[in-house]
Amino acid sequence: MTALGEFDYIVVGGGSAGCVLANRLTKDGKSSVLLAEAGGKDDWLWVNVPVGYLFSIGNPRTDWCFHTDSEPGLNGRSLLYARGKGLGGCSSINAMVYMRGQRGDYDHWAALGNRGWSWDEVLPYFKRMECHFGGANDFHGCEGELHVQEPRVRWEILDAWRDAAEQAGIPKVDEFNRGDNFGNAYFHMNQRGGERWSGSRAFLHPVMSRPNLKVITRAHARRIAIETRDGAKRATGVDFVIDGQGEASARARKAVILAAGSIGSPHVLQLSGIGPADVLQARGVPVVHELPGVGENLHDHLQIRMMYKVQGPTLNERANSVFGKAKMVLEYLMHRTGPLTMPPSQLGAFAKSDPSEPAPDMEWHVQPLSLEKFGDKLHPFPAITPSVCNLRPTSRGWVRILGTDPLAAPSIRLNYLTTPEDQRVAAIGMRFTRRIMEQPALAKYRPSEWRPGRDYDEDEALVKAAGDLGTTIFHPVGTCKMGSDAMAVVDDRLRVHGIEGLRVIDASIMPRITSGNTNAPTYMIAEKGAEFLLTEAP
């Protein structure tokens, strides 16, 4: 076995959280860090071109290409469950939407007993890392590494959809990142000058030359080394599989940090014998430390992709025309503008499913296009896709190892739409979408519901249609949740319960999902987690 050496910190996972941690932990030059990424480098052309997500998601070069188990709530379907494979992780293939969530998300975390995680307490960390196009103010910063910019292409039909949403009771607002997201607006994005601005470009590449930082790729964590000293268990290092075959190990003086995401982090813990005893024993893994919550509490945002045929123009016509494609490429090459800068969704809206809700619990992602799934060709007719999702789903699933092979994918089950509450919100969201599409502002486009179609009208039919149309927005969280209850995996300083020198710092620590895209909150969690490490006594 190759010895990689001894470091103060070993960070497992070179995605969004890992890039922030590598930057912050090496900044003062006093601590040495090994950043180990299971995927490869992020040097492929389509990683930096915003529309490249169409070629990156589902591509084994950049995506682990996981699949969920058969989902009963989705009428037995299994979904592609994309996870970024390479430096930058999901930030190298995601939608680039910069969305913090809402005040109530973080105040809920704090109300569960997690000290320091309220909205007012996390806002400074969001601001610290931002380079916001609007400059510094009460809600934004402009001196950080993470660029936040406005869309660089507009569509008349999306402007009309904004008007229609306002006519349906969802007012126009300037932005969504001030604590209350009620309203409709264009999304702000993690781009810089028309290019994707991933976690690796923002936080890692500028510091790769630091002598106290070592970055390795194609290093798949096999297990965390745990030693018992004076009756206390402590993480002392990590064993890796290199390039799918070679073995290597590294030692950690201060801490092993899992930043492998909501699928990867519980997977590594379980491979190391840390997790639910029954799951580990059934898979032939000796129990090193029983933590029943490892891999449980998995939840995600399910978007219901309703589609409407319209009297254009939409992206469908341009993308299906040789002249249209050439024009888009030329515009991008010359000006870094146009459709090639588009995220999957440009426009969003937030509203309540019921007036009694404390904050908006439904979100729309609106696209001036339609297709069966990412990677497929756009449909040969003009169409738009207003997708609605439940921001606070109550369905819960799991991530569980299937054996001892660290290279084998785990079982991933979300249990989407399996609670009455989630089914109720799905039906309400679909009806609300119809109400928006029937407003006068969209009349000139003559929208006609294509998916699921107006034959689906009763609640039971709408829930079935939601199961047919619903797909992930790739926001898994919660599998190493923060807290002090019996199913919590880490405390409010992100230390794994019962094991010294072991942290989890990524989206898996969320007790409950945030209201919207989860990448920005993941950066915040890493920023805060790095501060914990650097300010604690040795």
Side-chain angles (χ1 to χ4, degrees), residues 181-217:
N181 287 350
F182 177 52
N184 81 79
Y186 284 98
F187 291 127
H188 294 164
M189 305 172 299
N190 290 132
Q191 290 188 10
R192 183 179 184 182
E195 296 186 359
R196 174 187 294 274
W197 201 245
S198 65
S200 53
R201 296 190 81 183
F203 299 103
L204 182 61
H205 288 303
V207 304
M208 288 277 273
S209 62
R210 287 178 180 170
N212 56 331
L213 173 62
K214 181 180 179 65
V215 179
I216 58 174
T217 56

Side-chain angles (χ1 to χ4, degrees), residues 37 42 228 253 283 315 333 335 381 396 421 436 463 498:
E37 164 57 33
D42 58 338
T228 301
R253 286 184 288 265
R283 306 301 188 267
L315 183 60
L333 292 175
H335 306 293
F381 47 78
R396 294 293 184 270
E421 295 88 347
I436 295 170
V463 171

Side-chain angles (χ1 to χ4, degrees), residues 431-472:
R431 288 199 173 97
F432 205 140
T433 303
R434 286 172 172 169
R435 192 160 86 237
I436 295 170
M437 297 303 299
E438 291 166 355
Q439 296 301 314
L442 284 168
K444 74 174 184 177
Y445 296 98
R446 299 174 61 190
S448 171
E449 185 178 318
W450 183 49
R451 297 279 177 85
R454 294 309 296 249
D455 290 342
Y456 293 84
D457 194 42
E458 300 300 321
D459 282 0
E460 184 177 350
L462 286 173
V463 171
K464 182 186 183 303
D468 289 335
L469 297 175
T471 190
T472 175

Side-chain angles (χ1 to χ4, degrees), residues 48-51 95-96 133 147-155 158-159 186-197 318 327-328 330-347 368:
N48 293 332
V49 178
V51 80
M96 299 163 284
F133 70 91
H147 285 263
V148 180
Q149 297 187 342
E150 293 182 295
R152 298 171 71 87
V153 61
R154 301 295 283 264
W155 295 87
L158 295 186
D159 291 335
Y186 284 98
F187 291 127
H188 294 164
M189 305 172 299
N190 290 132
Q191 290 188 10
R192 183 179 184 182
E195 296 186 359
R196 174 187 294 274
W197 201 245
R318 295 184 67 177
K327 185 177 178 181
M328 289 190 293
L330 186 62
E331 182 177 1
Y332 184 76
L333 292 175
M334 293 182 63
H335 306 293
R336 289 294 192 267
T337 59
L340 267 64
T341 68
M342 284 174 56
S345 300
Q346 293 175 274
L347 178 64

Side-chain angles (χ1 to χ4, degrees), residues 67 145 167 174 272 284 307 417 443 471:
H67 286 81
E145 300 93 334
Q167 290 169 348
D174 293 332
S272 306
M307 300 179 199
L417 292 176
T471 190

Side-chain angles (χ1 to χ4, degrees), residues 170-397:
I170 307 176
K172 295 178 184 178
V173 294
D174 293 332
E175 66 159 315
F176 295 127
N177 288 309
R178 298 177 181 176
D180 181 354
N181 287 350
F182 177 52
N184 81 79
Y186 284 98
F187 291 127
H188 294 164
M189 305 172 299
N190 290 132
Q191 290 188 10
R192 183 179 184 182
E195 296 186 359
R196 174 187 294 274
W197 201 245
S198 65
S200 53
R201 296 190 81 183
F203 299 103
L204 182 61
H205 288 303
V207 304
M208 288 277 273
S209 62
R210 287 178 180 170
N212 56 331
L213 173 62
K214 181 180 179 65
V215 179
I216 58 174
T217 56
R218 306 193 185 283
H220 217 118
R222 183 166 66 85
R223 74 176 184 94
I224 302 163
I226 306 291
E227 296 181 5
T228 301
R229 303 173 183 172
D230 300 323
K233 298 170 185 173
R234 182 174 184 85
T236 58
V238 182
D239 294 340
F240 297 97
V241 177
I242 306 296
D243 287 327
Q245 50 188 8
E247 295 187 352
S249 66
R251 300 278 294 178
R253 286 184 288 265
K254 294 182 179 180
V256 172
I257 305 159
L258 290 181
S262 293
I263 307 302
S265 288
H267 191 205
V268 174
L269 286 171
Q270 291 177 14
L271 288 169
S272 306
I274 304 167
D278 57 339
V279 172
L280 302 181
Q281 291 166 349
R283 306 301 188 267
V285 176
V287 179
V288 174
H289 183 69
E290 184 172 7
L291 268 180
V294 173
E296 302 301 302
N297 191 46
L298 175 64
H299 54 296
D300 180 17
H301 290 137
L302 180 78
Q303 63 176 351
I304 303 168
R305 300 180 65 244
M306 299 178 73
M307 300 179 199
Y308 286 77
K309 293 183 178 181
V310 296
Q311 299 295 313
T314 69
L315 183 60
N316 286 18
E317 306 94 281
R318 295 184 67 177
N320 285 311
S321 158
V322 173
F323 175 76
K325 289 178 181 176
K327 185 177 178 181
M328 289 190 293
V329 170
L330 186 62
E331 182 177 1
Y332 184 76
L333 292 175
M334 293 182 63
H335 306 293
R336 289 294 192 267
T337 59
L340 267 64
T341 68
M342 284 174 56
S345 300
Q346 293 175 274
L347 178 64
F350 288 77
K352 296 180 180 182
S353 64
D354 187 273
S356 65
E357 291 292 333
D361 64 332
M362 298 188 302
E363 180 186 10
W364 285 264
H365 289 77
V366 190
Q367 305 166 321
L369 55 88
S370 67
L371 71 171
E372 293 303 309
K373 63 181 184 300
F374 288 125
D376 288 359
K377 289 186 64 175
L378 301 189
H379 291 130
F381 47 78
I384 68 169
T385 305
S387 300
V388 64
C389 78
N390 178 359
L391 293 170
R392 291 192 286 277
T394 55
S395 301
R396 294 293 184 270

